[in-house]
Amino acid sequence: MAWYNPKTWGENLNKRNIQIPEKVFIEREGGHYEYSEYEPKHLEDYLESLLGGHYSKQNYINLFYCLPEIFAPVNEIASRVADANWQLRKNSNDEVVYNDPYFNKLFEYPNPLMNFKQFIWQSVCYELLTGANFQYINRPSTLQPTFDNIISLWNLPTSKLSIELKKNVDIYSSTSMNDLVQSYKEGQRVFEVKNVLPFIQLDIAFGNESDKFVSPLQGASIAIKNLIPVYEARNVIYVKRGALGFIVSKKTDASGTMALTPKEKQDAQDAYQANYGLQRGKSQIGVSSAPVEYIDTSMSIQELQPFEETLSNAIAIYSALRVPPHLVPSKDKSTFNNAKADMKSFYSDVIIPMANKYAQSYTKFFNIDRKYVHADFSHIPILQEDRKEKADVDKILGSVWLERWQNGVCTLNDWIVSNDGVKGVGLIYEKKIFELTEDELSLVKNVLNLKGNVNTPTQNTGDQAASSSNIV
């Protein structure tokens, strides 16, 4: 391998008559443009093109892997949605089907590279970071479009996917994506519309254009723009690029201040490097042979207050994604009084609806016969607390209704309906306790195991109401 000499490189180019262009052009759809047109002239222009330009979708993915303020909230949602237990249930009675081999295979390992939790995690990340997720169903066209013929399931890389729309289509009369989209392309690979399941968050700035989608992070774009220069500034300070300060002369004569001579400057540098510092055996106090002073030219971390800035920006990003504020990492993380309520709302308002959206789409798109896909979260501890609270409330209400029935102010059906149950058939369910015959009352006592706690009402006497009101 021949190495070039940088001093003679330019001369060699001239000898070979190689022309170096003054301008470089890039080609894009619609024409070619001078490269300099895309060079940001200011930081603000750069940040705007970063988050709102042609490559913004890929840039959001890149930021996901380098900014914790973006990775953390997206992961908070994606990991929880992926943690659902994906079940196949019967339409008739909601019974879980455990022995369907096609469902079990697909919803355990949808493709050779990942399990289903990893697949859903990736799906949610794509949707939150780019505004869309496209899932490819690998089902040979020679087979029937049924659930048992699906071989694998893949997430298509949204940032690399192009959507070819059909021309002159009336959006408002279309009934499916087949009416709108001609095909999906990733490089030279073309995916048929019938094999792609799209999840799109439309950009309302473009109305109902199905190829215009936007990340919810766009709602926090100003906060993200603030984060980038803050991290840049911290990096500059920590790696000490540029001078922290200058040592200047305080020597004077009759004409004013005198500069240090080259020998005095070199002597000061040599003495500082040899004798002073934080290592053992070195001094922390310097002595100069010439009168000097130090002028600070750098800004400290404390003066910039980057931690307060990053925290406020992180809160804005978490809010855009509707992640509870108590999950924002901070140096003095405190316990919010309403943290449990926020987490329950997080599941009910964000996590479960997103999982249900995937489950309902799978049910329809996979063409599953007489069954449906369900995302179950009953194993989540904080949601189990809701069930316990409900059980405690039901127990209290049950005691209240039992007391009402025993005191003759309601029927058994009144009690049943209060619990959203199905009304009982027969007069015994429609009568109040003092209206029951002796045989009916005896039957009810045996069923409810009231034993001797219920006094038999005296029929057609003035003591009837009194005896009913004394029932315990």
Side-chain angles (χ1 to χ4, degrees), residues 57-68:
K57 294 174 179 60
Q58 183 60 48
N59 290 336
Y60 272 117
I61 295 174
N62 294 340
L63 290 172
F64 172 70
Y65 285 112
C66 67
L67 283 182

Side-chain angles (χ1 to χ4, degrees), residues 106 119 134-141 146-147 149-156 189 191-199 361-362 365-366:
L106 189 64
F119 173 80
F134 300 91
Q135 299 182 10
Y136 170 61
I137 287 81
N138 181 14
R139 182 165 46 193
S141 57
T146 55
F147 174 63
N149 286 327
I150 297 175
I151 297 175
S152 59
L153 196 59
W154 297 87
N155 285 310
L156 300 180
R189 176 68 186 268
F191 300 93
E192 293 185 59
V193 179
K194 66 178 183 179
N195 290 331
V196 176
L197 176 59
F199 298 92
S361 296
Y362 292 147
F365 203 75
F366 291 167

Side-chain angles (χ1 to χ4, degrees), residues 45-56:
D45 296 337
Y46 167 71
L47 295 175
E48 184 62 35
S49 64
L50 183 72
L51 301 182
H54 182 75
Y55 299 104
S56 61

Side-chain angles (χ1 to χ4, degrees), residues 76-89:
E76 293 283 5
I77 297 174
S79 60
R80 285 176 170 83
V81 175
D83 195 36
N85 286 328
W86 301 87
Q87 302 172 341
L88 184 64
R89 294 188 174 187

